[in-house]
Amino acid sequence: MELVEIAVDDKLDVIFSRFKNAKIYANREILLPDYVPEELPHRDNQIIELATVLAPALSGSKPPNVFIYGLTGTGKTAVTKYVLRKLVVKAEGTVLTAYINCRQSNTNYRVLAELSSSVGKPVPFTGLSTAEVLNRFIRGLERQAKIMIAVLDEIDWLVKSSGDSVLYHLTRLNSELKRSRLSVIGITNDLRFMEYIDPRIKSGLGEEELVFPPYTNKELEDILRKRAEKAFRKGAIEDGVIPLCAAIAAKQNGDCRLALDLLLKAADLAEREDSSKVTEEHVRRAQRELEKNLVVAAVKTMPLHVKLVLLAVYLLEKEGVLKNITTGEIYGRYRDLCREIGVGEVTQRRVSEILNELDMLGVINARVVSLGRYGRTKIIKLAVGEKSLLEGFRSDPGFYTMVGSIINSRPSS
DNA sequence: AATCCACAGGAAGTGCTGGGCG
DNA sequence: CGCCCAGCACTTCCTGTGGATT
């Protein structure tokens, strides 16, 4: 007993002191995803544009609603937060802001609930009607008598899962407000977003539009260098590390968040194994681990049938008989699986929807094609490595006991 | 030029859960 | 307590469609 405790104690000591005497980091926080740096290199144009558009708020008039497009990791969120932060300071209490991530708050109710609590009127997280929550928000905002700028990040998730009725209300809210004003900043990485919303909202929401181009390889490298300078100790990273991170991210549509994640993860790996330098090898391992984490996290929260559909895709791809896997083939395979483990099947309509969900999660690539005489369908490919996926399936023990034998019974047939 | 496949994907509804409100 | 509400996973029924083949 005594011995064990001492042993654990020793280990803790080693772990803690390793971080206390960090060899790699000077300040790890600088690499965290929600850190907004003091300057945002290569986004000057966007910062100035957005600031120009929002500036009227400082003289007490309502800024236009803004729509921001750009692929993931092009700095949309960072620029918006950055400009708003400066604006709020300048406004000295006359401007109110709210930031809502619609991927987390992906229902009308939740968006309104967050807006309401940011004007000092918290509401229960369920139970009320949306109309009631909207009313409370309006009352709260009126009492504040301020200009409010609400940021709806990843707004496409809200519209896809709950429709655009909240947007409709929010964009025409100003006619009901006497003492306050509301401006909406919508952010999306879906460039076709405007196509599937109501034209009445479209005109209201898209008064101003900003487009964020992807970062180039060079720009990414530059950004990483600036961050790394503050985040790491001198000489803690090998020369090739930053170019490699940048190059990997540049391939992924210039995704800066990915570049930063890679660097952070690679440095964490190096730190954890007590090495004195981050190497390119660390970056490569970080890349694999990031993908694995993404998949494991995604698979963990999936409902049973979503997992089964994903498994069907996996098996079809692994068996490799068919190259272009279609919805119909997946549905067939999925039904076999259901029979094998004795659970009820869902309809093909639902499976089609599930495939769209998996596509949005980035686990598969699905795209609709017409095969002429042979109909119209989606062709589907896995977008992640088999190993990551297997890890994902294994991370849910209940699921794995059901299907483990099926997965393993076909090593390579 | 017309046909027709194999689905896509919209609309509306069901049954269930988990939570108000008066 | 009874009633109302939203969200979810899913169903049923449906209309729409790109383009190779007839």
Side-chain angles (χ1 to χ4, degrees):
Chain A
M1 228 15 210
E2 191 84 341
L3 276 172
V4 174
E5 274 177 32
I6 290 168
V8 170
D9 220 44
D10 278 352
K11 277 183 191 161
L12 276 186
D13 201 50
V14 171
I15 292 168
F16 286 160
S17 58
R18 184 178 301 164
F19 275 87
K20 198 158 176 247
N21 309 317
K23 290 178 180 164
I24 305 283
Y25 288 117
N27 186 358
R28 183 170 177 276
E29 251 180 70
I30 287 172
L31 295 178
L32 294 180
D34 44 3
Y35 176 82
V36 181
E38 273 312 303
E39 49 179 317
L40 296 165
H42 308 292
R43 286 290 99 123
D44 292 358
N45 291 343
Q46 284 74 21
I47 291 171
I48 289 166
E49 275 186 68
L50 184 60
T52 310
V53 169
L54 297 180
L58 292 170
S59 62
S61 56
K62 176 201 167 305
N65 295 329
V66 189
F67 216 83
I68 299 179
Y69 297 97
L71 298 172
T72 28
T74 49
K76 305 181 295 294
T77 307
V79 164
T80 308
K81 281 186 171 171
Y82 177 86
V83 172
L84 284 184
R85 200 169 65 189
K86 300 262 174 184
L87 186 76
V88 166
V89 173
K90 258 282 197 284
E92 292 166 342
T94 59
V95 174
L96 207 61
T97 64
Y99 173 84
I100 297 165
N101 184 313
C102 300
R103 198 164 177 166
Q104 286 151 34
S105 309
N106 62 343
T107 65
N108 293 335
Y109 187 96
R110 286 207 267 269
V111 167
L112 287 172
E114 283 202 47
L115 283 174
S116 187
S117 62
S118 66
V119 293
K121 289 242 172 181
V123 293
F125 67 91
T126 176
L128 304 181
S129 71
T130 35
E132 171 61 19
V133 183
L134 181 62
N135 273 330
R136 291 191 189 192
F137 168 56
I138 293 173
R139 284 207 302 274
L141 185 54
E142 276 294 74
R143 206 176 44 180
Q144 297 265 351
K146 283 176 186 167
I147 291 186
M148 179 168 193
I149 300 174
V151 181
L152 301 178
D153 204 349
E154 306 197 72
I155 197 171
D156 45 315
W157 285 76
L158 172 67
V159 175
K160 273 171 198 153
S161 62
S162 304
D164 48 19
S165 63
V166 172
L167 261 41
Y168 179 69
H169 287 298
L170 290 182
T171 48
R172 60 200 294 279
L173 199 67
N174 284 302
S175 54
E176 290 174 50
L177 294 170
K178 303 241 153 33
R179 312 167 58 207
S180 297
R181 305 273 94 167
L182 177 73
S183 289
V184 177
I185 299 179
I187 303 179
T188 180
N189 50 34
D190 184 345
L191 301 170
R192 299 190 335 278
F193 177 74
M194 279 300 190
E195 284 171 25
Y196 53 77
I197 60 171
D198 192 310
R200 283 173 302 178
I201 303 167
K202 199 186 290 183
S203 59
L205 204 59
E207 291 173 335
E208 291 285 342
E209 294 188 10
L210 255 75
V211 178
F212 281 54
Y215 291 108
T216 64
N217 199 336
K218 274 220 173 82
E219 288 169 343
L220 285 173
E221 233 181 280
D222 190 42
I223 294 167
L224 288 183
R225 271 189 217 294
K226 286 202 168 120
R227 295 265 191 126
E229 222 165 82
K230 291 182 190 165
F232 296 119
R233 288 167 178 278
K234 272 232 146 46
I237 47 176
E238 276 188 356
D239 288 345
V241 166
I242 284 178
L244 181 58
C245 289
I248 293 170
K251 263 187 215 144
Q252 288 278 322
N253 307 315
D255 184 345
C256 185
R257 202 191 42 202
L258 175 62
L260 288 164
D261 278 351
L262 278 170
L263 191 56
L264 175 71
K265 193 84 202 172
D268 278 351
L269 287 174
E271 183 91 64
R272 204 172 306 153
E273 51 193 48
D274 210 17
S275 69
S276 57
K277 276 194 166 204
V278 185
T279 65
E280 291 179 40
E281 170 59 22
H282 285 129
V283 177
R284 296 221 168 73
R285 269 163 51 204
Q287 188 184 11
R288 284 194 291 273
E289 203 158 315
L290 279 180
E291 180 192 285
K292 203 183 72 192
N293 290 349
L294 186 110
V295 176
V296 170
V299 173
K300 237 178 207 168
T301 58
M302 284 174 189
L304 174 64
H305 291 284
V306 181
K307 286 197 187 90
L308 286 170
V309 170
L310 182 58
L311 179 57
V313 177
Y314 167 79
L315 290 173
L316 282 173
E317 190 144 306
K318 198 171 151 202
E319 287 156 9
V321 200
L322 307 145
K323 205 162 83 227
N324 293 331
I325 307 173
T326 66
T327 306
E329 286 148 10
I330 290 168
Y331 188 57
R333 198 72 181 77
Y334 157 82
R335 284 211 299 204
D336 293 345
L337 279 173
C338 286
R339 267 179 236 131
E340 274 182 81
I341 64 172
V343 301
E345 311 154 11
V346 301
T347 54
Q348 179 160 326
R349 177 70 187 85
R350 176 64 188 141
V351 168
S352 173
E353 199 95 332
I354 287 173
L355 288 171
N356 287 339
E357 290 167 20
L358 290 172
D359 185 40
M360 283 227 278
L361 283 170
V363 184
I364 64 171
N365 285 321
R367 76 171 212 280
V368 296
V369 291
S370 177
L371 273 40
R373 197 61 208 256
Y374 307 102
R376 223 166 152 258
T377 183
K378 278 196 272 267
I379 74 156
I380 283 108
K381 272 187 298 188
L382 280 181
V384 295
E386 289 190 6
K387 275 190 177 172
S388 307
L389 206 53
L390 275 177
E391 192 87 18
F393 290 138
R394 267 195 286 269
S395 73
D396 179 345
F399 181 70
Y400 199 72
T401 50
M402 274 194 282
V403 299
S405 58
I406 298 171
I407 294 173
N408 296 322
S409 70
R410 279 161 259 252
S412 52
S413 66

